[in-house]
């Protein structure tokens, strides 16, 4: 499925993508309730292959909930979510398939503390993809080279710095060779001096053509890497645009207010 | 010297009240110590233990077949050594342990002796009390077998076997204890077992059986299926509400209502069943606590990398949950071990405690009030094993906790 837009039209349509791309993720009319509280209200978003979308917005606006719906860590209540042609349903096989195609990086790393760094990375390829151990470890070492900490392979997560842990978490997610990477505030729990190393890894990943949805407060990263920026407030997408549009000439008052508060 | 002085003054003699308390309790402690030493070395008449050592250790196991027990001990030592060597070999190959850590060195021997000096001292004490060379030979062979196993073990793991081959090895390995059991039991039948051997055997079997059951019950109690949850919760709550002693009595008596005598299992088997089901309920609650202690983020990460629900539990949640509650689990298992004495009272099994009582009415010792001596001996046996379990569990906890938190 390919859609064409001229550049001017892109910003009017919150669901649109920049340029001509295959659609990787389609989110249509998605609602999400926690009890009576509606955390997502009629969300529409399409993310193209190799696109980097940065999601920003105030605390409690539903950013985490949105990306957690994509790999079914939260179940959406209305609308549909399609990832690489597979629609999320209650069928566990569908869910498993989508989880294999999407990697996720959490704010608090969530590395497995009882496994070594290498085992953290190789567990899923070995158990889910049935990769032989030697091959999985070779892959694991390659990924550790990529995130620049091969010498930490035998350590346990608790023996590493936050920045190193988060880079291992990225390697772990990449080990399943996903088509999409979801990042939920990957640098928010890090000391300032470690934020850079994680962002560098993410930038490299974006350059390699990975499709990424990144929830972050790092506006520098958004400006530099994002193809589009999505601004959310109160469970809704308020505004979508290229970084230039978004930071130079935001249209909505809500966006202006938010930007004035954080910039 | 002066630091000792300050410490003493600071902790024991700071005020007048402290001083009085220190003196009173110090004298009390000295008096107790004196009495204990006197009992052990002067007034205690330990010949009753010496004479009845075999009865205390293995009950009335027939003299003609005692060799079977010795063979069993030696084979088990070999088995354990092989297992330890195999595990160590795997750890070295996977890089979790350096080869140097695995070399036989003076430091490691010292470490081993320091770790196990209490049970080792007990074994030596028991050997000193024996009057025949048999036990000495058995222990010597067992130590040698364990060493051989430990040295050969790492090579077993290095064999490049086809899948059927390794399956066969695992099967044979797992079958060895079972075969040994039959080898020992065919000599007398299960109800002919007695002494400390019976306590150990009841405990080991119950521990092995109750553990998986406890894990399943704990998982079941958190299951998403209401029926499973109901069954597990009911089971746990019912069992935990009943006194162990009553359950043992019931198993001894009431089984006759359901099963004809000819089909009823041996009393010892019934005891194992009761211990297993009883302890499993407690283990389930302990393990459930462990499951709750695993942060939600762990399960989310396991889901996110695509692990199936069973693998999330098996690879991520359970290992962390079980590790988090090692002290409580070992406490429960130690308690199970000591409770095996209840089986003697409730079901008339001839376990260490019953032997300890019975021998005081032997002709040579009757009316001499030697129950204190025999009970002290029984308590010592239980204490050494329990204490060793406790210490080893602390070590295990430390080792599994490498680099965590
Ligand atoms: N499991 C839950 N149960 C109930 N309410 C929830 C749950 N998870 C999130 N919420 C609510 O949904 C809303 C959106 O939460 P979400 O975590 O998506 O916000 P966020 O934009 O990621 O905020 P932050 O920047 O603080 O991470 C919040 O009001 C939150 O209180
Ligand atoms: Mg969030």
């Amino acid at each position: 499925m390919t859609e064409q837009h001229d550049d001017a039209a892109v910003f009017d349509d919150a669901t649109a993508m920049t340029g001509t791309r295959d659609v990787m993720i389609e989110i249509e009319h998605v609602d999400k309730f926690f009890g009576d509280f509606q955390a997502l209200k009629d969300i529409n978003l399409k993310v193209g292959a190799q696109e980097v979308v940065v999601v920003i917005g105030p605390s409690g606006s539903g950013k985490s909930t949105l990306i957690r719906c994509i790999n079914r860590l939260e179940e959406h209540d209305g609308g549909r979510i399609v990832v690489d042609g597979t629609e999320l349903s209650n069928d566990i096989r569908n869910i498993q398939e989508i989880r294999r195609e999407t990697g996720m990086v959490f704010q608090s790393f969530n590395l497995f503390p009882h496994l070594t760094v290498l085992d953290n990375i190789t567990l899923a390829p070995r158990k889910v993809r049935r990769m032989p151990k030697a091959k999985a470890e070779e892959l694991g070492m390659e990924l550790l080279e990529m995130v620049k900490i091969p010498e930490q392979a035998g350590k346990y997560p608790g023996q590493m710095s936050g920045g190193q842990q988060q880079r291992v978490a990225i390697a772990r997610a990449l080990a399943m060779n996903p088509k999409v990477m979801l990042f939920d505030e990957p640098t928010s729990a890090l000391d300032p001096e470690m934020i850079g190393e994680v962002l560098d890894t993410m930038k490299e990943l974006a350059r390699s053509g990975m499709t990424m949805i990144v929830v972050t407060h790092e506006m520098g990263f958004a400006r530099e890497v994002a193809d589009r920026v999505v601004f959310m407030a109160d469970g809704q997408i308020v505004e979508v645009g290229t970084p230039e549009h978004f930071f130079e000439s935001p249209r909505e008052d809500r966006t202006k207010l938010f930007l004035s508060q954080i910039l | 010297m002066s630091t000792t002085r300050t410490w003493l003054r600071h902790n024991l003699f700071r005020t007048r009240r402290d001083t009085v308390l220190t003196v009173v309790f110090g004298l009390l402690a000295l008096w107790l110590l004196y009495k204990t030493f006197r009992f052990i070395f002067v007034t205690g008449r330990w010949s009753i233990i010496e004479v009845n050592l075999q009865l205390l250790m293995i009950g009335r196991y027939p003299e003609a077949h005692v060799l079977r027990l010795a063979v069993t001990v030696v084979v088990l030592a070999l088995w354990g050594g092989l297992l330890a060597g195999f595990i160590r070999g795997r750890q070295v190959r996977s890089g979790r342990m350096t080869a140097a850590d695995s070399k036989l060195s003076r430091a490691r021997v010292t470490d081993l002796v320091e770790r196990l000096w209490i049970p080792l001292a007990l074994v030596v004490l028991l050997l000193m009390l024996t009057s025949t060379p048999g036990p000495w030979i058995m222990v010597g062979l067992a130590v040698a077998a364990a060493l051989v196993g430990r040295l050969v073990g790492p090579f077993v793991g290095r064999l490049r076997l086809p899948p059927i081959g390794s399956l066969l090895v695992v099967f044979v390995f797992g079958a060895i204890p079972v075969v040994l059991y039959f080898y020992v039991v065919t000599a007398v039948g299960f109800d002919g077992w007695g002494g400390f051997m019976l306590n150990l055997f009841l405990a080991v079997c119950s521990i092995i059986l109750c553990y998986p059951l406890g894990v399943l019950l704990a998982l079941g109690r958190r299951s998403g299926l209401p029926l499973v949850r109901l069954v597990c919760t009911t089971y746990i709550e019912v069992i935990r509400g009943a006194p162990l002693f009553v359950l043992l009595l019931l198993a001894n008596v009431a089984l006759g209502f359901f099963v004809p005598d000819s089909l009823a299992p041996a009393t010892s088997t019934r005891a194992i069943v009761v211990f297993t089901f009883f302890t499993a309920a407690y283990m389930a609650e302990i393990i459930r606590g462990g499951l709750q202690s695993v942060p939600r983020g762990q399960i989310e990460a396991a889901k996110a990398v695509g692990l199936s629900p069973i693998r999330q539990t098996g690879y991520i949640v359970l290992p962390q949950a079980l590790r988090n509650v090692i002290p409580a689990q070992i406490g429960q298992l130690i308690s199970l071990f000591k409770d095996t004495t209840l089986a003697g009272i409730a079901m008339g099994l001839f376990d260490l405690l019953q032997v300890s009582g019975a021998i005081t009415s032997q002709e040579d010792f009757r009316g001499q009030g030697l129950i204190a001596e025999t009970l002290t001996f029984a308590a010592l046996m239980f204490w050494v094993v329990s204490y060793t379990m406790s210490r080893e569990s602390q070590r295990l906890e430390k080792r599994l906790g490498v680099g965590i938190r």
Side-chain angles (χ1 to χ4, degrees):
Chain A
M1 186 167 145
T2 309
E3 289 185 13
Q4 205 114 33
H5 298 279
D6 69 39
D7 266 16
V10 167
F11 312 127
D12 295 330
D13 178 1
T15 72
M17 306 169 298
T18 40
T20 311
R21 300 176 193 265
D22 292 334
V23 180
M24 184 60 79
I25 299 174
E26 254 182 296
I27 297 170
E28 286 177 357
H29 304 297
V30 163
D31 295 317
K32 168 71 193 169
F33 290 87
F34 290 110
D36 288 336
F37 176 76
Q38 187 164 10
L40 295 179
K41 299 171 188 160
D42 191 31
I43 301 287
N44 290 284
L45 185 67
K46 274 184 195 162
V47 179
Q50 308 204 327
E51 194 178 21
V52 177
V53 172
V54 167
V55 181
I56 62 175
S59 182
S61 56
K63 308 177 299 286
S64 300
T65 308
L66 175 62
I67 66 167
R68 287 160 59 84
C69 280
I70 295 173
N71 68 350
R72 220 2 120 88
L73 291 184
E74 303 288 356
E75 190 177 333
H76 60 280
D77 297 304
R80 36 184 244 130
I81 298 177
V82 182
V83 180
D84 195 30
T86 310
E87 179 172 353
L88 259 180
S89 66
N90 281 325
D91 187 345
I92 182 76
R93 270 167 306 171
N94 263 353
I95 296 174
Q96 290 290 97
E97 174 159 354
I98 287 176
R99 283 180 182 160
R100 281 196 296 268
E101 302 295 323
T102 53
M104 185 173 234
V105 177
F106 301 86
Q107 178 175 353
S108 48
F109 328 135
N110 295 350
L111 290 177
F112 305 130
H114 60 302
L115 300 179
T116 62
V117 163
L118 194 58
D119 287 341
N120 260 278
I121 298 172
T122 57
L123 180 71
R126 285 176 59 195
K127 301 305 170 192
V128 182
R129 296 235 191 268
R130 304 221 160 272
M131 196 182 277
K133 187 172 180 213
K135 201 157 161 251
E137 292 191 339
E138 202 177 303
L139 168 74
M141 287 314 295
E142 266 170 40
L143 288 167
L144 283 176
E145 299 274 356
M146 199 203 106
V147 299
K148 306 201 172 58
I149 37 174
E151 73 285 355
Q152 310 279 346
K155 281 200 185 170
Y156 286 88
Q159 298 168 318
M160 296 192 302
S161 76
Q164 291 172 328
Q165 290 192 49
Q166 194 60 300
R167 284 184 281 162
V168 172
I170 294 174
R172 177 178 70 180
L174 290 173
M176 287 294 284
N177 196 17
K179 295 193 171 134
V180 183
M181 286 284 284
L182 307 172
F183 293 84
D184 191 359
E185 304 198 28
T187 56
S188 297
L190 296 178
D191 293 337
E193 69 270 22
M194 296 171 190
I195 292 178
E197 61 193 42
V198 172
L199 289 181
D200 285 343
T201 306
M202 290 168 63
K203 285 174 194 167
E204 207 169 301
L205 194 59
R207 272 197 293 276
S208 75
M210 177 61 74
T211 310
M212 293 163 58
I213 302 184
V214 184
V215 176
T216 185
H217 297 297
E218 294 294 328
M219 293 305 147
F221 177 83
R223 267 180 211 270
E224 190 183 333
V225 185
D227 293 304
R228 276 188 301 157
V229 178
V230 172
F231 174 65
M232 288 183 71
D234 300 326
Q236 285 170 312
I237 293 185
V238 175
E239 191 164 359
V240 180
T242 61
E244 301 83 66
H245 156 83
F246 197 85
F247 292 108
E248 310 308 333
S249 51
R251 212 176 34 200
E252 303 289 330
D253 290 340
R254 195 83 174 73
T255 319
K256 287 177 195 159
L257 180 68
F258 178 73
L259 289 174
S260 73
Q261 281 166 347
I262 60 161
L263 288 178
Chain B
M1 181 62 211
S2 72
T3 50
T4 326
R5 249 218 173 102
T6 12
W7 187 90
L8 281 177
R9 174 154 322 146
H10 197 78
N11 287 291
L12 299 176
F13 299 103
R14 189 152 24 166
T15 62
R16 176 166 296 185
R17 213 176 101 232
D18 281 358
T19 310
V20 170
L21 284 177
T22 301
V23 169
V24 168
F25 280 101
L27 285 176
L28 200 66
L30 275 180
W31 182 75
L32 279 175
L33 217 61
Y34 167 74
K35 281 291 182 187
T36 314
F37 267 82
R38 227 178 105 78
F39 174 60
I40 293 175
F41 295 107
V42 185
T43 56
R45 281 156 297 171
W46 300 104
S47 65
I48 185 170
I49 305 295
E50 215 171 327
V51 172
N52 289 294
L53 192 61
Q54 181 168 344
L55 205 56
L56 287 160
M57 296 309 291
I58 61 174
R60 296 204 191 91
Y61 200 83
E63 201 66 49
H65 295 292
V66 168
L67 189 61
R68 295 196 188 202
L69 293 178
V71 170
T72 302
V73 169
V74 174
V75 175
L76 272 183
L78 179 70
W79 188 86
L82 274 173
L83 193 65
F86 176 76
I87 291 173
R88 190 51 82 92
R90 278 185 63 138
Q91 286 174 335
V92 169
R93 259 170 295 129
S94 70
R96 257 171 298 177
M97 189 141 328
T98 61
D101 286 340
S102 185
K103 283 260 155 50
L104 189 68
S105 64
R106 198 197 199 100
R108 287 196 56 221
V109 172
T110 334
D111 178 53
L112 199 71
V113 170
E114 198 184 324
R115 237 172 85 195
L116 298 176
W117 74 269
I118 291 179
L120 288 177
L122 181 71
V123 169
V124 171
L125 175 72
L126 291 175
L127 286 177
M128 309 279 271
L129 291 175
T130 58
S131 45
T132 52
W136 285 93
I137 298 172
M138 178 187 80
V139 171
L141 285 177
V143 170
L147 276 177
V148 169
R150 172 65 185 79
L151 292 176
V152 174
F155 295 97
V156 177
R158 242 180 273 171
L159 293 178
R160 290 248 158 262
L161 292 171
I164 305 221
S166 20
L167 207 68
L168 202 71
V169 170
V170 170
F171 180 78
V172 168
F173 206 72
I176 286 177
V178 181
V179 171
L180 285 175
Y181 163 73
F182 282 109
Y183 178 59
V184 173
V185 88
T186 44
V188 277
F190 203 175
D191 281 337
W193 292 30
F196 196 50
M197 172 180 92
L198 178 65
N199 294 94
L200 280 177
F201 185 77
L202 291 179
V204 169
C205 286
S206 311
I207 287 171
I208 292 172
L209 294 172
C210 83
Y211 202 83
L213 186 59
V215 170
L216 287 179
L217 283 168
L219 292 173
R221 194 164 184 179
R222 284 163 51 101
S223 157
L225 306 170
L227 187 65
V228 174
R229 211 163 47 225
L230 180 74
V231 169
C232 292
T233 309
T234 312
Y235 173 87
I236 292 168
E237 295 308 335
V238 167
I239 294 282
R240 291 206 312 162
L244 175 59
F245 196 72
V246 172
L247 291 178
L248 286 167
L249 286 172
L250 266 180
N252 203 21
V253 182
L255 205 67
F257 302 150
F258 304 105
V259 198
D261 263 356
S262 56
L263 285 181
T267 316
S268 309
T269 314
R270 293 185 216 176
I272 290 176
V273 170
V274 172
F275 285 127
T276 301
F277 285 129
F278 181 80
T279 308
Y282 285 86
M283 291 299 279
E285 284 300 275
I286 291 169
I287 293 168
R288 191 166 68 98
L291 291 172
Q292 275 162 354
S293 74
V294 177
R296 236 179 43 160
Q298 289 294 308
I299 301 163
E300 291 182 350
K303 285 180 180 170
V305 292
L307 293 178
S308 64
I310 290 179
R311 292 204 172 105
Q312 290 161 27
T313 306
Y315 291 116
I316 307 302
V317 180
L318 261 188
Q320 295 185 56
L322 296 180
R323 192 203 60 214
N324 288 351
V325 289
I326 287 177
Q329 289 181 68
I330 295 293
Q332 192 62 48
L333 297 179
I334 287 175
S335 162
L336 161 62
F337 171 56
K338 291 180 297 186
D339 285 347
T340 54
T341 47
L342 290 180
I345 307 171
M347 307 175 101
L349 290 171
F350 201 47
D351 81 315
L352 177 57
L353 186 61
Q354 296 303 300
V355 178
S356 306
I359 54 178
T360 56
S361 40
Q362 282 168 343
E363 228 165 283
D364 290 351
F365 303 106
R366 193 179 307 146
Q368 299 181 23
L370 293 179
I371 191 73
E373 278 82 353
T374 61
L375 285 183
T376 303
F377 177 78
L380 176 72
M381 299 298 288
F382 278 102
W383 177 77
V384 169
V385 175
S386 304
Y387 181 68
T388 307
M389 279 167 81
S390 161
R391 287 226 347 201
E392 287 299 296
S393 86
Q394 283 164 22
R395 217 180 88 90
L396 184 73
E397 199 186 352
K398 259 203 212 107
R399 271 180 61 173
L400 292 181
V402 183
I404 291 167
R405 260 162 239 157

